Amino acid sequence: MPNHFLGVEGASVSFGKREAQVRALRGVSQFFERGTLSLVMGPSGSGKTTLLSLLGCLLSPDEGTVFIEGVAVNGLSEAERTTIRQKKISFVFQAFRLFHSLSAIDNVALGFELRDAALPGRMEMARDLLVRFGLGGKLDQEPNDLSPGEKQRVAIARALAGNPPILLADEPTASLDAQAGRNICQILRSQVDDDGRTVVVVTHDPRWREFADRTITLCDGQVEQEEKNL
Amino acid sequence: MGFGPEEAMYVLVRVDKGYPTSDVQQSLRERVPEVDVLTRDEFARKARTYWTIKTGAGGAILTAAVLGFLIGLVVVSQTIYANTMENIEEYATLKALGASQGFVARIVLTQALICGAVGSILGLLAVVPSIGYAKSLIPWIYTPWWLLLVMVVPSLAMCSLASIASVRSALTVEPGRVFRA
């Protein structure tokens, strides 16, 4: 019996209609064990991001089931799916998606606020997270004043605010140089080793392989290959 | 009273202390029934009603106020909508990160109210000297201080109303677009 902590079973997703229809996923079944770092690789258009959107409760499959922490989330309302994202899932994006009018610390504090508006001491916790990622001297800087590597570390700190058990990353190192990219790989790996988080990374970047527990390769909306790394 | 209708429009009667105004009014009404006999308050009310309703002044002011409200509504609505669409990706990010519909709506509404508050302050800064100047020309213009503050309320209501389209856009943005570059 598969571990249904996080995953999809028989998931199919199509976009467009009639002749313009694109089948992004074709009956994909994949489960991600708690406390692992998994890579999802494959060429552009293979369905990687669609799979990540399903796992992130951002999209519903046309067919099949999505499991978050062992619970099937297909039939949930939009408000219930929002609550699941709020409590259990965090995202890291290729383009960072920080709020440019907010300082680094305010971006991270917002992450805490979104997860629990009544949580006291948000600024202190945001400061601690940024210090942990080596950004103690950049707390009050706005994203436009930070390097790409620093922006991504702020984005990861925001994602970790509120301690969500699942972290989904879409090409998190694609905009970074080699050193900054390796640093991000190490940070996300430490989330698995130190905090038992479940991390799924969609990437084209082969550097990730040495940090991942396993790699799933998609092609034309289907799983082409699955391999253990560590 | 010895005046013909072409000779006088108003006659001012001062009542000595100790004599009730209503008694004097009643007495005059009996002696000159063809003349309107009004106390100060009645005269003031009648004059206000005349200028507000019977001449075009009241209608013109009301029309100007309604037009001002509608033009303000459109301008503020366009401004807030443009600002929301410019930042629509950030609203999508917020929703992806788990922001509730109420949280997103509050952000847009807060921006609209800030817009209204700043606009009201700037408007008052322009209006206060204008009132002073108008009073120097027409001394009997009456503008109580509270009227200026009361005008802030419809301004804020207008801005809230103007944010409806923007709130709707922010609420309907798909959070899934966060993965599109």
Side-chain angles (χ1 to χ4, degrees), chain A:
Chain A
M1 177 166 171
N3 177 348
H4 282 186
F5 175 71
L6 172 68
V8 293
E9 191 168 48
S12 295
V13 177
S14 298
F15 298 110
K17 289 179 181 172
R18 294 178 188 161
E19 295 82 19
Q21 190 176 62
V22 176
R23 295 189 66 188
L25 285 182
R26 302 162 187 250
V28 170
S29 295
Q30 273 301 318
F31 292 93
F32 303 87
E33 289 176 32
R34 190 192 296 265
T36 57
L37 193 156
S38 304
L39 297 186
V40 180
M41 302 187 84
S44 297
S46 59
K48 305 185 296 293
T49 302
T50 304
L51 177 60
L52 206 64
S53 299
L54 290 180
L55 297 174
C57 270
L58 296 171
L59 187 67
S60 291
D62 301 330
E63 292 169 26
T65 311
V66 180
F67 294 92
I68 309 286
E69 280 200 320
V71 176
V73 297
N74 288 50
L76 300 183
S77 68
E78 185 53 45
E80 289 169 323
R81 289 148 63 83
T82 298
T83 304
I84 288 179
R85 287 201 298 276
Q86 190 181 60
K87 303 294 178 197
K88 300 182 189 305
I89 302 168
S90 58
F91 297 98
V92 175
F93 309 103
Q94 177 182 349
F96 320 122
R97 290 193 169 265
L98 296 171
F99 299 102
H100 289 94
S101 55
L102 301 181
S103 64
I105 192 167
D106 286 336
N107 265 282
V108 180
L110 177 63
F112 281 104
E113 186 179 352
L114 289 173
R115 294 203 196 277
D116 184 358
L119 189 70
R122 290 194 292 263
M123 294 304 275
E124 289 72 21
M125 289 188 287
R127 181 179 295 111
D128 290 347
L129 263 178
L130 288 171
V131 169
R132 187 170 140 199
F133 292 144
L135 293 166
K138 312 261 180 175
L139 299 177
D140 296 320
Q141 294 204 5
E142 290 184 0
N144 287 339
D145 300 326
L146 299 173
S147 70
E150 289 168 339
K151 285 181 194 174
Q152 197 59 296
R153 278 184 279 157
V154 174
I156 292 173
R158 182 183 67 183
L160 298 178
N163 202 22
I166 299 165
L167 196 155
L168 306 176
D170 183 39
E171 300 279 9
T173 52
S175 307
L176 309 182
D177 60 36
Q179 192 184 343
R182 190 169 179 79
N183 185 228
I184 296 300
C185 294
Q186 286 166 338
I187 287 173
L188 293 191
R189 181 69 230 179
S190 73
Q191 294 310 307
V192 176
D193 296 336
D194 301 342
D195 299 322
R197 236 178 283 281
T198 304
V199 179
V200 180
V201 178
V202 161
T203 185
H204 286 102
D205 187 345
R207 289 174 298 182
W208 274 100
R209 284 183 184 274
E210 64 176 292
F211 297 92
D213 296 293
R214 67 171 184 148
T215 303
I216 297 151
T217 306
L218 293 179
C219 189
D220 291 334
Q222 292 178 308
V223 177
E224 188 183 64
Q225 195 181 6
E226 205 182 326
E227 54 189 310
K228 296 248 181 214
N229 297 90
L230 293 177

